[in-house]
Amino acid sequence: MKVILSYGLGVDSTAILVRWLTALISRTFNLKDLIVVIAQTGDEHLETGYLVEKYVFPLLRKHGIRTIQVARASNSQRDGIVILDDTTAPTICYIQGAYRLSDEMVEVATVPQTGGIRKCSLKAKGWPLDVLIAQLTGGEEFVHVVGFETDELTRMMRDMPLGLPGRIPYYPLIEWGWDRAECERYLWEQFMVKWPKSACVFCPYALASVAGLARTLPRYVASPYEAFKALTMEYLAVAANPRQGLIGGRQLYDALLDVEGGPALLADFQEHLNCMPWAIYDVRRAFRAKSDDMMKAANAARSMTMVAHGDRWDMVDLLDYMANHHAPRAWRYDTGRHHRVWIHERNLYYPCPEQAFVTAPALATDKTNKTFAEAWEAALKGPSQLSVV
Ligand code: SF4
């Protein structure tokens, strides 16, 4: 029977793999049955890719383990997956992926959302792996190895009934009684390396706790390239919607102001922004009311359209001109971190419209929800359209 390890490149699954490849006593199957599968989101930390190439791939090569790296071809499942590598002698960890999660986020000016299921992970990791594993197993029984550790029993219980036909889930770390600290200690003993947490460089879950922030913010200061990727995504998302942010609605930008090296990094980030193409976007949101409470928004349909493009200061000048010479008194002009002219601001009651012209890096593509036109019309009319009996 095939033994398929979903290798997430992080501490837990690296500990399993390294132990299996170095300690015969740790496994009950023949290594020729093992296949290592890796889903690349396209946005993993460079450090992780480097360590995998330096310490893990040589072991996989030594034992001739089939290692397959896979990614999404586009944001549509119709386009399928891309096999980045399929070899028994892996050398390159293709962390750049194919269609990157960051491409998807930036195109629509948003950030991965926390709360509920990890939609981004299901799309960028779970789905390509399922497609690949279905191709590998053809519906036959297989052992699917997942790196949950002893502090993740709830995740294990949720995972057990899921997955493809023929899947027999197996959680070696839980069988061994290993928690994360034990995995870290083991990898330290093996390589004298503090193995980092694997994640996209902008992962909001990595920033969701005090410990996560303490671990992740210094990584940004040490790696401006990765910081700029996360900050650019957030900057654009906040331009489109001031309530966004990578730290549960708070901004990574603000968190970096308070860490050593953060202000200098942010000054460099502003220079980075200056070198990008910019645009003015017309961003509209049509909020619907909750059916039983007109003071609560149900959801919103959005339209985002580029109305001008140029360099950053041309766009700011143009918006200044619009705000100072053409704006009715009711329009409000924000000139803080983002330059934004509010045409309609969110109301206390729903439905209601929200509209602003805002300057931002010209990275988002025009997109209007299918239901926008109808929702916008209703939003402009406001709650008065509700019949009061
Ligand atoms: S690492 Fe974070 S951002 Fe990336 S796919 Fe997983 S949950 Fe989403």
Side-chain angles (χ1 to χ4, degrees), residues 1 3 16-24 26-36 59-60 62-66:
M1 194 184 295
V3 177
I16 297 173
L17 193 49
V18 172
R19 190 163 186 236
W20 274 351
L21 297 180
T22 55
L24 184 60
S26 64
R27 59 183 159 79
T28 52
F29 60 92
N30 195 313
L31 282 183
K32 74 175 173 38
D33 295 325
L34 177 62
I35 303 175
V36 173
L59 285 172
L60 292 169
K62 182 175 163 195
H63 294 277
I65 307 294
R66 187 174 178 194

Coordinates of all heavy atoms in Angstrom, one line a residue, residues 1 3 16-24 26-36 59-60 62-66:
M1 N 0.8 -1.2 0.0 CA 0.0 0.0 0.0 C 0.9 1.3 0.0 O 1.9 1.3 0.7 CB -0.9 0.0 1.3 CG -2.0 1.0 1.2 SD -3.0 1.0 2.7 CE -3.7 -0.6 2.8
V3 N 2.2 4.8 1.0 CA 2.2 5.7 2.1 C 2.5 7.1 1.6 O 3.6 7.3 1.1 CB 3.3 5.2 3.2 CG1 3.3 6.2 4.4 CG2 3.0 3.8 3.6
I16 N 8.8 14.1 11.3 CA 8.4 12.8 10.9 C 9.3 12.2 9.8 O 9.9 11.1 9.9 CB 7.0 12.8 10.3 CG1 6.0 13.2 11.4 CG2 6.6 11.4 9.8 CD1 4.6 13.4 10.9
L17 N 9.5 13.0 8.7 CA 10.3 12.6 7.6 C 11.7 12.3 7.9 O 12.2 11.2 7.6 CB 10.2 13.7 6.5 CG 10.6 13.4 5.1 CD1 10.0 12.1 4.6 CD2 10.3 14.6 4.2
V18 N 12.3 13.2 8.7 CA 13.7 13.0 9.0 C 13.9 11.7 9.9 O 14.8 10.9 9.7 CB 14.3 14.2 9.7 CG1 15.7 13.9 10.3 CG2 14.3 15.4 8.8
R19 N 12.9 11.5 10.8 CA 13.1 10.3 11.7 C 12.9 9.1 10.9 O 13.6 8.1 11.1 CB 12.0 10.4 12.8 CG 12.3 9.4 13.9 CD 11.6 9.6 15.2 NE 11.9 8.7 16.2 CZ 11.1 7.9 16.9 NH1 9.8 8.0 16.7 NH2 11.5 7.0 17.8
W20 N 11.9 9.1 10.0 CA 11.6 7.9 9.2 C 12.9 7.5 8.3 O 13.2 6.4 8.1 CB 10.5 8.1 8.2 CG 9.1 7.8 8.8 CD1 8.9 7.2 10.0 CD2 7.9 8.1 8.3 NE1 7.5 7.1 10.2 CE2 6.9 7.6 9.2 CE3 7.5 8.7 7.1 CZ2 5.5 7.7 8.9 CZ3 6.1 8.8 6.8 CH2 5.1 8.3 7.7
L21 N 13.6 8.6 7.9 CA 14.7 8.3 6.9 C 16.0 8.0 7.7 O 16.9 7.6 7.1 CB 14.9 9.6 6.0 CG 13.7 9.9 5.1 CD1 14.0 11.1 4.2 CD2 13.4 8.7 4.2
T22 N 16.0 8.3 9.0 CA 17.3 8.1 9.7 C 17.1 7.0 10.8 O 18.2 6.5 11.3 CB 17.7 9.4 10.4 OG1 16.7 9.9 11.2 CG2 18.1 10.4 9.3
A23 N 15.9 6.6 11.2 CA 15.8 5.6 12.3 C 14.8 4.6 11.9 O 13.5 4.8 11.9 CB 15.3 6.3 13.6
L24 N 15.3 3.4 11.5 CA 14.5 2.3 11.0 C 13.4 1.9 11.9 O 12.2 1.6 11.5 CB 15.4 1.1 10.7 CG 14.8 -0.1 10.1 CD1 14.2 0.2 8.7 CD2 15.8 -1.2 9.9
S26 N 11.5 3.6 13.6 CA 10.4 4.6 13.7 C 9.3 4.2 12.7 O 8.2 4.8 12.8 CB 10.9 6.0 13.5 OG 11.4 6.1 12.1
R27 N 9.5 3.3 11.8 CA 8.4 3.0 10.8 C 8.2 1.5 10.6 O 9.1 0.7 10.9 CB 8.8 3.7 9.5 CG 10.1 3.2 8.9 CD 10.5 4.0 7.6 NE 11.9 3.9 7.4 CZ 12.5 2.8 6.9 NH1 11.8 1.8 6.5 NH2 13.8 2.9 6.7
T28 N 7.0 1.2 10.1 CA 6.7 -0.2 9.9 C 6.5 -0.5 8.4 O 5.9 -1.6 8.1 CB 5.4 -0.5 10.6 OG1 4.4 0.4 10.2 CG2 5.6 -0.5 12.1
F29 N 6.9 0.4 7.5 CA 6.7 0.1 6.1 C 8.0 0.3 5.4 O 9.0 0.8 5.9 CB 5.7 1.2 5.5 CG 6.1 2.6 5.7 CD1 6.9 3.2 4.7 CD2 5.8 3.3 6.9 CE1 7.3 4.5 4.9 CE2 6.3 4.6 7.1 CZ 7.0 5.2 6.1
N30 N 8.0 -0.2 4.1 CA 9.2 -0.1 3.3 C 9.3 1.3 2.7 O 8.3 1.8 2.2 CB 9.2 -1.2 2.3 CG 10.5 -1.4 1.6 OD1 11.2 -0.4 1.2 ND2 10.9 -2.7 1.5
L31 N 10.5 1.9 2.7 CA 10.6 3.2 2.1 C 10.2 3.3 0.6 O 9.9 4.4 0.1 CB 12.0 3.8 2.3 CG 12.3 4.3 3.7 CD1 13.8 4.8 3.8 CD2 11.3 5.3 4.2
K32 N 10.3 2.2 -0.1 CA 9.9 2.2 -1.5 C 8.4 2.5 -1.7 O 8.0 2.9 -2.7 CB 10.3 0.9 -2.2 CG 9.5 -0.3 -1.9 CD 9.9 -1.4 -2.8 CE 9.2 -2.7 -2.4 NZ 7.8 -2.7 -2.0
D33 N 7.6 2.3 -0.6 CA 6.2 2.7 -0.7 C 5.9 4.1 -0.3 O 4.7 4.6 -0.5 CB 5.4 1.8 0.3 CG 5.5 0.3 -0.1 OD1 5.5 0.0 -1.3 OD2 5.6 -0.6 0.8
L34 N 6.9 4.8 0.1 CA 6.7 6.2 0.6 C 6.7 7.2 -0.6 O 7.6 7.2 -1.5 CB 7.7 6.6 1.6 CG 7.7 8.1 2.1 CD1 6.4 8.3 2.9 CD2 8.9 8.3 3.0
I35 N 5.7 8.1 -0.7 CA 5.7 9.2 -1.6 C 5.5 10.5 -0.8 O 4.6 10.6 0.1 CB 4.5 9.1 -2.6 CG1 4.6 7.8 -3.4 CG2 4.6 10.3 -3.6 CD1 3.5 7.5 -4.4
V36 N 6.4 11.5 -1.0 CA 6.3 12.7 -0.3 C 5.6 13.7 -1.3 O 6.1 13.9 -2.4 CB 7.7 13.2 0.1 CG1 7.6 14.6 0.7 CG2 8.3 12.2 1.1
L59 N 18.5 13.9 2.1 CA 18.0 12.6 2.7 C 17.1 11.9 1.7 O 17.1 10.7 1.5 CB 17.3 12.8 4.0 CG 18.2 13.2 5.2 CD1 17.4 13.6 6.4 CD2 19.1 11.9 5.6
L60 N 16.2 12.6 1.1 CA 15.2 12.1 0.2 C 16.0 11.5 -1.1 O 15.7 10.4 -1.6 CB 14.2 13.1 -0.3 CG 13.2 13.5 0.8 CD1 12.4 14.8 0.3 CD2 12.2 12.4 1.1
K62 N 19.1 10.5 -1.0 CA 19.9 9.3 -0.6 C 19.0 8.0 -0.6 O 19.5 7.0 -1.0 CB 20.4 9.6 0.8 CG 21.3 8.5 1.4 CD 21.8 8.9 2.8 CE 22.3 7.7 3.6 NZ 22.5 8.0 5.0
H63 N 17.8 8.2 -0.2 CA 16.9 7.0 -0.2 C 16.0 6.8 -1.4 O 15.2 5.9 -1.5 CB 16.0 7.1 1.1 CG 16.8 7.0 2.4 ND1 17.2 5.8 2.9 CD2 17.3 7.9 3.2 CE1 17.9 6.0 4.0 NE2 18.0 7.3 4.2
G64 N 16.2 7.7 -2.4 CA 15.4 7.6 -3.6 C 13.9 7.7 -3.4 O 13.2 7.0 -4.1
I65 N 13.5 8.6 -2.6 CA 12.1 8.7 -2.3 C 11.4 9.6 -3.3 O 11.8 10.7 -3.6 CB 11.8 9.4 -0.9 CG1 12.6 8.7 0.2 CG2 10.3 9.5 -0.6 CD1 12.1 7.3 0.5
R66 N 10.3 9.1 -3.9 CA 9.6 9.9 -4.9 C 9.0 11.1 -4.2 O 8.3 11.0 -3.2 CB 8.5 9.1 -5.5 CG 7.8 9.8 -6.6 CD 6.8 8.9 -7.3 NE 6.1 9.6 -8.4 CZ 5.0 9.3 -9.0 NH1 4.5 8.1 -8.7 NH2 4.5 10.0 -10.0

